[in-house]
Amino acid sequence: MVASKLEVLVDLGPKPDERVLEKTLKELNSQDDVKQAVFKDGAFMVETTLPSTVVLDMVAKTSGKRAVLQGFGETQSAVAMVSSQVCCKGGVLGVVRFQESPDGALIADGSVDGLRPGLHGLHVHDAGDLSQGCSTIGDHYNPHGSPHGGPTDPLDRRHAGDLGNIVADERGRATFRIVDNVLKVWDIVGRSIAITERRDDLGRGTSPLSKINGDSGSTIACGIIARSAGVFQNPKRICACDGVVVWDERERPLAGRGRRETGDVQKPCCKTETQDVKQCCQREKAEVQKPCCKV
């Protein structure tokens, strides 16, 4: 199996507890799927074949601290924020990360919530156009004009973007790690990743759609694939202007009301009264109207 290197940042405070560090490293290194785990430059460096979400959960549970993935992969990396592209609650939401390993294989590592339990197709599409949601992302990425197939099929019998299926558990969460020998990071940056409502039959079904999209139904979630930071390439600890620390960022909306409600945390951009700061802080007070939720 191809291993990935993860940079896991943990909320250890100004002076890390050596006992917590030792306990966490011992737990990580005891896993058969962890090649090596060390603490370096304020973060855990983990080389593993486990999905990143599994590692994050393990670190958080063992240390008793909040943990976030700060960097993924040493070589070319990309990421997509996947959602059902609707502003109301109850949709599909997740993250898919991509890394090109030193031997050229592409690793797709993801965690997606809000799915119906069972199998769902996962595909890279031609376009990174979300102007009309997932309906404008184009067809499967297929530079060689091949029929639809499965990820283990040769290139003349699969779309380059065919990544097979992911499995959602009874809670609606799919955690996965796929190794693909066709796609490259720079082929997919600017394109999109999509999840379908049904299982992909990998081009082996009897439906006329089998050789087109695996008869996997409509797209229920998608996201644009963008370049991302590898390990120790992202020094961010606090978000510019709005003062939301990296620990709280994933638990808050991306914008609008509620973004900067940090309790007793002082908002750095609101400490002075310059014109630029005033404009920045006005965003906190603005109510973001969600058009699809008006009716």
Side-chain angles (χ1 to χ4, degrees):
M1 289 287 288
V2 180
S4 299
K5 286 189 176 181
L6 314 179
E7 180 190 354
V8 180
L9 198 63
V10 182
D11 190 6
L12 295 170
K15 188 176 181 180
D17 188 326
E18 292 295 331
R19 292 171 300 178
V20 172
L21 294 181
E22 184 179 348
K23 179 183 177 183
T24 305
L25 287 172
K26 183 178 179 180
E27 176 65 19
L28 288 168
N29 283 309
S30 70
Q31 305 299 314
D32 292 338
D33 295 316
V34 173
K35 186 175 180 180
Q36 183 184 42
V38 297
F39 188 71
K40 177 183 176 182
D41 296 339
F44 290 97
M45 171 77 79
V46 186
E47 189 171 359
T48 180
T49 57
L50 291 169
S52 60
T53 301
V54 173
V55 175
L56 284 175
D57 290 345
M58 190 186 307
V59 170
K61 183 177 180 180
T62 305
S63 67
K65 307 290 185 179
R66 293 177 292 181
V68 295
L69 187 63
Q70 183 80 348
F72 181 76
E74 285 190 303
T75 53
Q76 299 176 16
S77 301
V79 65
M81 305 298 294
V82 178
S83 76
S84 47
Q85 301 299 317
V86 294
C87 60
C88 305
K89 294 182 178 180
V92 178
L93 188 65
V95 180
V96 183
R97 295 179 175 86
F98 303 90
Q99 179 216 344
E100 194 168 314
S101 63
D103 66 359
L106 183 85
I107 298 168
D109 177 294
S111 178
V112 181
D113 290 296
L115 297 167
R116 188 186 71 251
L119 293 168
H120 299 269
L122 182 72
H123 312 110
V124 173
H125 284 244
D126 271 326
D129 179 5
L130 302 183
S131 59
Q132 296 180 47
C134 296
S135 65
T136 47
I137 60 175
D139 297 326
H140 292 181
Y141 175 50
N142 185 21
H144 302 286
S146 305
H148 177 79
T152 60
D153 291 333
L155 194 53
D156 63 346
R157 295 210 301 266
R158 64 166 277 191
H159 300 154
D162 291 343
L163 292 176
N165 289 295
I166 58 176
V167 184
D169 62 20
E170 66 280 357
R171 299 173 301 162
R173 165 167 281 199
T175 299
F176 56 92
R177 187 178 188 274
I178 298 168
V179 179
D180 186 76
N181 291 311
V182 170
L183 289 172
K184 305 295 181 184
V185 165
W186 288 115
D187 290 336
I188 64 175
V189 168
R191 303 189 191 279
S192 57
I193 186 79
I195 300 171
T196 59
E197 62 177 337
R198 298 197 301 267
R199 65 179 286 273
D200 185 337
D201 69 16
L202 310 181
R204 294 159 173 76
T206 58
S207 166
L209 293 175
S210 179
K211 293 296 184 182
I212 298 175
N213 63 8
D215 194 26
S216 56
S218 61
T219 296
I220 56 174
C222 61
I224 298 172
I225 302 169
R227 180 77 171 88
S228 69
V231 294
F232 297 114
Q233 293 178 356
N234 181 9
K236 182 182 73 171
R237 294 294 185 273
I238 186 166
C239 302
C241 182
D242 59 20
V244 177
V245 296
V246 68
W247 315 113
D248 297 325
E249 184 177 19
R250 65 177 181 171
E251 299 170 0
R252 297 175 187 274
L254 296 177
R257 189 175 183 179
R259 167 70 177 168
R260 288 164 48 197
E261 294 174 358
T262 55
D264 60 353
V265 177
Q266 179 66 39
K267 306 172 183 61
C269 72
C270 300
K271 290 181 180 179
T272 60
E273 292 298 325
T274 67
Q275 182 62 32
D276 289 343
V277 168
K278 285 182 179 180
Q279 292 175 353
C280 163
C281 295
Q282 285 173 358
R283 292 201 296 270
E284 179 187 15
K285 301 175 183 178
E287 185 74 41
V288 178
Q289 181 65 42
K290 302 176 178 62
C292 71
C293 300
K294 288 182 179 179
V295 294

